[in-house]
Amino acid sequence: MTRRDRHWLISTFSMAMVGWATAVGTALLPVIHDVDVSVNGVLLLLMWVVTIPAPTTVVLIMWHLHSIALQKAYALGQRHAQNLNNMHREMSHRAAMLN
């Protein structure tokens, strides 16, 4: 993982966490202070959740799944390289025995 990728991941994670904390805090404020909430307030909170924390969370999940797939592909490539090296050694050994 490059420094740029790490920075992107940290900033996206921070954005998601701040977004969810803001959404939860805003939702709990009327409950704690026993205040009636208007429909506009609920819609505004819903708009906030849909525009900031939910998409960044989806992006983080997709990035995580992508990184798992890359790790599996890399491990498979390593196994293939090892198998090819073993096959090459065996073929070289057999060719040497025939000569």
Side-chain angles (χ1 to χ4, degrees):
M1 181 185 302
T2 65
R3 172 180 259 167
R4 182 176 170 209
D5 290 341
R6 200 173 307 123
H7 181 266
W8 175 85
L9 185 61
I10 290 170
S11 64
T12 305
F13 180 77
S14 301
M15 188 180 350
M17 291 302 105
V18 168
W20 284 115
T22 304
V24 169
T26 305
L28 288 178
L29 223 84
V31 173
I32 292 171
H33 294 292
D34 196 27
V35 177
D36 291 333
V37 180
S38 68
V39 174
N40 290 340
V42 172
L43 288 176
L44 186 62
L45 178 60
L46 184 61
M47 244 173 41
W48 170 261
V49 169
V50 168
T51 56
I52 303 296
T56 53
T57 302
V58 169
V59 166
L60 286 171
I61 291 169
M62 295 304 291
W63 191 87
H64 179 67
L65 294 175
H66 180 72
S67 68
I68 289 172
L70 286 176
Q71 288 172 355
K72 287 180 180 179
Y74 181 76
L76 182 63
Q78 292 294 324
R79 273 187 278 155
H80 281 238
Q82 185 178 11
N83 289 341
L84 286 173
N85 285 336
N86 290 341
M87 190 169 46
H88 180 267
R89 264 189 251 119
E90 184 179 325
M91 291 172 65
S92 297
H93 178 70
R94 285 185 182 178
M97 287 175 54
L98 290 175
N99 290 333

